Amino acid sequence: MSAEPEAPPAPHTEPPVVTPVRVVIALCLIAPFVAMLWVGSYAKTDPVLIGIPFFYWYQMVWVVVSTALTMVAYKLWQRDQRARKGGASQ
């Protein structure tokens, strides 16, 4: 009867670095940059909103949208970090 040697216990593995949550976080942070750097998409005067040319009000809308996306990314990051700390201590 040959006895097989016992396999060593599995080492503790870290969670993957790239997760769906982190991809969403990256998209939230990259979207404003892409929107503002793609000037050809908003370099025009029409449509006018309350007498303000499109070029200006589009940028002002992105200030608010960027704030919201950054807040979402921060909250997701906090939740991700709490999950990683909780998973690592088990």
Side-chain angles (χ1 to χ4, degrees), residues 5 8-9 12-13 26-29 37-38 40 42 49-50 59 63 65-66 68 70 75 77-78 87:
H12 176 68
T13 58
L27 291 174
C28 285
L29 296 175
L37 291 175
W38 186 20
Y42 63 93
L49 180 69
I50 318 171
Q59 291 180 41
V63 169
V65 170
S66 296
T70 303
K75 293 296 182 183
W77 180 257
Q78 284 183 325

Side-chain angles (χ1 to χ4, degrees), residues 19-36:
T19 62
V21 173
R22 289 186 174 193
V23 171
V24 170
I25 291 168
L27 291 174
C28 285
L29 296 175
I30 291 172
F33 288 105
V34 171
M36 291 291 91

Side-chain angles (χ1 to χ4, degrees), residues 39 42-47 52-60:
V39 179
Y42 63 93
K44 51 190 171 187
T45 57
D46 290 330
I52 302 170
F54 180 74
F55 181 80
Y56 294 112
W57 67 258
Y58 178 84
Q59 291 180 41
M60 289 300 108

